[in-house]
Amino acid sequence: MEQLTNLIISDRELASISAVLLKLMNDTNATSAMLLDKSGQVVAVQGTGTRRNATTLGALLAGVFSSSREVAKLLDEKDFRNIFQQGVQENIYTTMVEEQWLLVIIFDKLTHIGLVKVLSKKSSDELGRTLERVRSDTTRTKSSVLNLQFRSSVEDTIDLLFRD
Protein backbone atom coordinates (compact mmCIF):
# COMPACT_ATOMS: atom_id res chain seq x y z
CA MET A 1 0.00 0.00 0.00
CA GLU A 2 1.26 3.47 -0.86
CA GLN A 3 2.44 5.46 2.14
CA LEU A 4 1.60 9.12 2.61
CA THR A 5 5.25 10.06 2.52
CA ASN A 6 5.11 9.24 -1.20
CA LEU A 7 2.22 11.61 -1.80
CA ILE A 8 2.31 15.27 -2.69
CA ILE A 9 -0.43 17.33 -1.04
CA SER A 10 -1.19 20.61 -2.77
CA ASP A 11 -1.90 23.83 -0.89
CA ARG A 12 -5.54 23.55 -1.97
CA GLU A 13 -5.96 20.05 -0.51
CA LEU A 14 -4.06 21.00 2.65
CA ALA A 15 -6.39 23.98 3.10
CA SER A 16 -9.38 21.67 2.64
CA ILE A 17 -7.99 19.20 5.21
CA SER A 18 -7.27 22.02 7.67
CA ALA A 19 -10.78 23.42 7.22
CA VAL A 20 -12.32 20.02 8.04
CA LEU A 21 -10.14 19.71 11.15
CA LEU A 22 -10.99 23.26 12.27
CA LYS A 23 -14.73 22.65 11.81
CA LEU A 24 -14.52 19.39 13.75
CA MET A 25 -12.56 21.10 16.49
CA ASN A 26 -15.07 23.95 16.74
CA ASP A 27 -18.17 21.71 16.56
CA THR A 28 -16.91 19.39 19.31
CA ASN A 29 -15.23 22.11 21.38
CA ALA A 30 -12.01 20.08 21.10
CA THR A 31 -8.65 21.57 22.00
CA SER A 32 -6.91 19.99 18.97
CA ALA A 33 -7.50 17.91 15.86
CA MET A 34 -4.81 16.17 13.82
CA LEU A 35 -4.55 14.13 10.66
CA LEU A 36 -1.70 11.61 10.59
CA ASP A 37 -0.59 8.88 8.27
CA LYS A 38 -0.34 5.42 9.83
CA SER A 39 3.40 5.84 10.37
CA GLY A 40 2.72 8.88 12.56
CA GLN A 41 3.73 11.59 10.11
CA VAL A 42 1.66 14.72 10.75
CA VAL A 43 -0.32 15.85 7.71
CA ALA A 44 -2.22 18.70 9.39
CA VAL A 45 -2.92 19.98 12.88
CA GLN A 46 -5.40 22.49 14.27
CA GLY A 47 -5.37 23.86 17.78
CA THR A 48 -2.63 25.52 19.74
CA GLY A 49 -2.11 22.91 22.43
CA THR A 50 -0.47 20.24 20.29
CA ARG A 51 1.43 22.24 17.67
CA ARG A 52 4.76 22.22 19.48
CA ASN A 53 4.54 18.50 20.27
CA ALA A 54 2.72 17.43 17.10
CA THR A 55 5.53 15.28 15.68
CA THR A 56 6.12 13.36 18.91
CA LEU A 57 2.42 13.05 19.64
CA GLY A 58 1.73 11.83 16.09
CA ALA A 59 4.38 9.11 16.30
CA LEU A 60 3.18 7.93 19.71
CA LEU A 61 -0.50 7.89 18.75
CA ALA A 62 0.25 5.98 15.55
CA GLY A 63 2.20 3.45 17.63
CA VAL A 64 -0.68 3.04 20.06
CA PHE A 65 -3.11 2.58 17.18
CA SER A 66 -0.89 -0.01 15.53
CA SER A 67 -0.55 -1.87 18.84
CA SER A 68 -4.32 -1.95 19.29
CA ARG A 69 -4.76 -3.47 15.84
CA GLU A 70 -2.34 -6.26 16.81
CA VAL A 71 -4.33 -6.83 20.02
CA ALA A 72 -7.46 -7.14 17.86
CA LYS A 73 -5.78 -9.90 15.85
CA LEU A 74 -4.88 -11.76 19.05
CA LEU A 75 -8.54 -11.58 20.08
CA ASP A 76 -9.66 -12.86 16.65
CA GLU A 77 -11.24 -9.49 15.87
CA LYS A 78 -11.02 -8.16 12.34
CA ASP A 79 -9.46 -4.95 13.70
CA PHE A 80 -10.05 -2.04 16.02
CA ARG A 81 -10.81 1.11 14.03
CA ASN A 82 -11.23 3.50 16.95
CA ILE A 83 -9.40 4.18 20.19
CA PHE A 84 -10.66 6.23 23.11
CA GLN A 85 -8.09 7.27 25.71
CA GLN A 86 -9.56 8.88 28.81
CA GLY A 87 -7.49 11.09 31.06
CA VAL A 88 -8.30 13.19 34.09
CA GLN A 89 -8.33 16.48 32.15
CA GLU A 90 -8.12 15.51 28.47
CA ASN A 91 -9.35 12.68 26.29
CA ILE A 92 -8.10 11.45 22.93
CA TYR A 93 -10.25 9.84 20.29
CA THR A 94 -8.44 8.29 17.31
CA THR A 95 -10.23 6.86 14.30
CA MET A 96 -9.03 5.42 11.03
CA VAL A 97 -9.64 7.33 7.78
CA GLU A 98 -9.69 4.98 4.82
CA GLU A 99 -6.97 2.43 5.58
CA GLN A 100 -4.01 4.79 5.62
CA TRP A 101 -4.65 7.81 7.85
CA LEU A 102 -5.62 8.56 11.43
CA LEU A 103 -7.90 11.33 12.62
CA VAL A 104 -7.09 12.39 16.18
CA ILE A 105 -9.33 14.60 18.33
CA ILE A 106 -8.13 15.87 21.71
CA PHE A 107 -10.89 17.22 23.93
CA ASP A 108 -11.57 18.00 27.58
CA LYS A 109 -13.82 16.21 30.03
CA LEU A 110 -16.73 18.57 29.34
CA THR A 111 -17.16 17.31 25.76
CA HIS A 112 -19.32 14.20 25.36
CA ILE A 113 -17.64 11.26 23.60
CA GLY A 114 -20.83 10.50 21.67
CA LEU A 115 -20.69 13.90 19.98
CA VAL A 116 -17.02 13.37 19.10
CA LYS A 117 -17.75 9.93 17.60
CA VAL A 118 -20.65 11.14 15.45
CA LEU A 119 -18.91 14.26 14.16
CA SER A 120 -15.58 12.49 13.62
CA LYS A 121 -17.35 9.96 11.36
CA LYS A 122 -18.67 12.80 9.20
CA SER A 123 -15.23 14.45 9.12
CA SER A 124 -13.56 11.14 8.39
CA ASP A 125 -15.75 10.63 5.32
CA GLU A 126 -14.98 14.13 4.07
CA LEU A 127 -11.23 13.70 4.68
CA GLY A 128 -11.35 10.34 2.91
CA ARG A 129 -12.72 11.99 -0.23
CA THR A 130 -10.05 14.70 -0.13
CA LEU A 131 -7.24 12.22 0.47
CA GLU A 132 -8.49 10.03 -2.37
CA ARG A 133 -8.19 13.06 -4.66
CA VAL A 134 -4.64 13.57 -3.38
CA ARG A 135 -3.82 9.94 -4.11
CA SER A 136 -5.22 10.08 -7.66
CA ASP A 137 -3.71 13.51 -8.48
CA THR A 138 -0.28 12.47 -7.22
CA THR A 139 0.38 10.05 -10.07
CA ARG A 140 0.25 12.92 -12.55
CA THR A 141 2.19 15.25 -10.29
CA LYS A 142 4.92 12.69 -9.63
CA SER A 143 5.37 11.91 -13.30
CA SER A 144 5.62 15.59 -14.19
CA VAL A 145 8.16 16.13 -11.39
CA LEU A 146 10.17 13.15 -12.61
CA ASN A 147 10.01 14.37 -16.19
CA LEU A 148 11.14 17.83 -15.11
CA GLN A 149 14.02 16.39 -13.08
CA PHE A 150 15.02 14.06 -15.91
CA ARG A 151 14.88 16.89 -18.43
CA SER A 152 16.99 19.13 -16.20
CA SER A 153 19.52 16.34 -15.70
CA VAL A 154 19.76 15.69 -19.44
CA GLU A 155 20.18 19.40 -20.17
CA ASP A 156 22.96 19.66 -17.57
CA THR A 157 24.71 16.61 -19.04
CA ILE A 158 24.50 18.01 -22.57
CA ASP A 159 25.84 21.35 -21.35
CA LEU A 160 28.79 19.57 -19.75
CA LEU A 161 29.50 17.58 -22.90
CA PHE A 162 29.44 20.52 -25.31
CA ARG A 163 30.85 23.26 -23.18
CA ASP A 164 33.64 25.42 -24.68
Side-chain angles (χ1 to χ4, degrees), residues 77-123:
E77 287 286 332
K78 184 177 178 211
D79 66 16
F80 292 153
R81 298 190 61 81
N82 306 301
I83 296 178
F84 175 56
Q85 295 166 287
Q86 186 174 11
V88 175
Q89 297 299 319
E90 301 229 70
N91 303 313
I92 301 174
Y93 182 73
T94 306
T95 187
M96 184 164 269
V97 178
E98 299 294 313
E99 289 296 318
Q100 191 170 347
W101 298 281
L102 301 174
L103 174 60
V104 177
I105 303 102
I106 301 172
F107 56 99
D108 64 20
K109 61 184 179 181
L110 299 176
T111 302
H112 195 275
I113 182 63
L115 177 67
V116 172
K117 284 182 177 182
V118 168
L119 294 178
S120 69
K121 173 66 175 128
K122 182 179 175 186
S123 297

Side-chain angles (χ1 to χ4, degrees), residues 1-9 37 41 100 138 142:
M1 175 174 287
E2 187 175 23
Q3 292 296 312
L4 184 60
T5 52
N6 294 336
L7 298 178
I8 300 167
I9 299 177
D37 76 352
Q41 182 177 11
Q100 191 170 347
T138 298
K142 275 184 175 175

Side-chain angles (χ1 to χ4, degrees), residues 68-78 80:
S68 75
R69 294 191 88 186
E70 290 303 314
V71 169
K73 287 179 187 175
L74 291 173
L75 298 174
D76 292 326
E77 287 286 332
K78 184 177 178 211
F80 292 153

